[in-house]
Amino acid sequence: MVDSCYCCSSKPYEKCCAPFHSGAQTPPTPEALMRSRYAAYCIQDWPYILKTYAEKSREGLTEAMLAEHADEQTWLHLSIVPSPALTSHQVEFKAYYAIAKQCFVLHETSDFETEAGEWRYTTGLLHDDTGKLSIGRNDACLCDSGKKFKQCCLKRL
């Protein structure tokens, strides 16, 4: 059992995103869905990710397409970005990940809608700072642990 959920909520996985992944519960808010999608990417739960796309966004998308480069990525940290400009159907986040020991950030404002009473991801707007990060070994870790990068997330790469 994972101590903390992959979505960086500080809750145990079994009490956070696991009930959504198993189908026992549905995410009650766009943020809960966003967090559960991030956690699903961490554990490579492609059926869940595909299911959480809105029907119109899911067209032509397959589990194999979602999994295509998954073995190359290590998901490191999720930060929800508070923004008063967002609607109740949007979530802004930064998802940090690594490929070949290089760190990247996916900074997106995601849009969600309800279908059959459940929240679904429709689309997202990437922010200009999305892309490769320059993090030195002695810089503060991107996961806000208070440790140096070399003593924290760098060990996971």
Side-chain angles (χ1 to χ4, degrees):
M1 181 172 146
V2 175
D3 291 336
S4 291
C5 190
Y6 301 95
C7 78
C8 305
S9 67
S10 299
K11 298 176 188 172
Y13 173 71
E14 295 301 323
K15 294 186 180 191
C16 190
C17 291
F20 305 142
H21 294 161
S22 71
Q25 296 176 15
T26 58
T29 65
E31 182 178 328
L33 177 60
M34 203 335 285
R35 286 181 175 281
S36 70
R37 285 172 53 85
Y38 174 84
Y41 274 99
C42 291
I43 63 172
Q44 300 185 1
D45 186 347
W46 311 122
Y48 180 81
I49 295 167
L50 188 61
K51 176 188 160 217
T52 60
Y53 273 95
E55 190 173 328
K56 65 184 176 189
S57 301
R58 194 179 320 136
E59 289 178 19
L61 192 58
T62 66
E63 291 175 26
M65 291 168 71
L66 292 169
E68 192 171 344
H69 298 288
D71 291 338
E72 300 169 13
Q73 295 174 329
T74 301
W75 293 96
L76 300 171
H77 185 71
L78 175 68
S79 294
I80 303 298
V81 180
S83 175
L86 299 178
T87 71
S88 62
H89 290 80
Q90 294 178 308
V91 177
E92 184 177 344
F93 69 92
K94 290 183 178 184
Y96 297 92
Y97 62 99
I99 298 175
K101 297 192 179 193
Q102 293 290 316
C103 292
F104 297 84
V105 64
L106 171 64
H107 185 181
E108 179 178 306
T109 297
S110 298
D111 294 313
F112 299 88
E113 64 183 35
T114 53
E115 287 181 348
E118 295 184 16
W119 286 105
R120 297 285 186 249
Y121 172 81
T122 58
T123 188
L125 172 69
L126 294 179
H127 292 253
D128 291 339
D129 61 344
T130 291
K132 189 175 178 182
L133 295 173
S134 222
I135 302 174
R137 293 170 41 84
N138 291 317
D139 290 344
C141 194
L142 50 84
C143 74
D144 298 325
S145 67
K147 297 178 183 178
K148 290 181 181 182
F149 181 63
K150 70 181 178 186
Q151 296 169 329
C152 194
C153 285
L154 181 60
K155 290 181 176 182
R156 296 174 51 199
L157 305 183

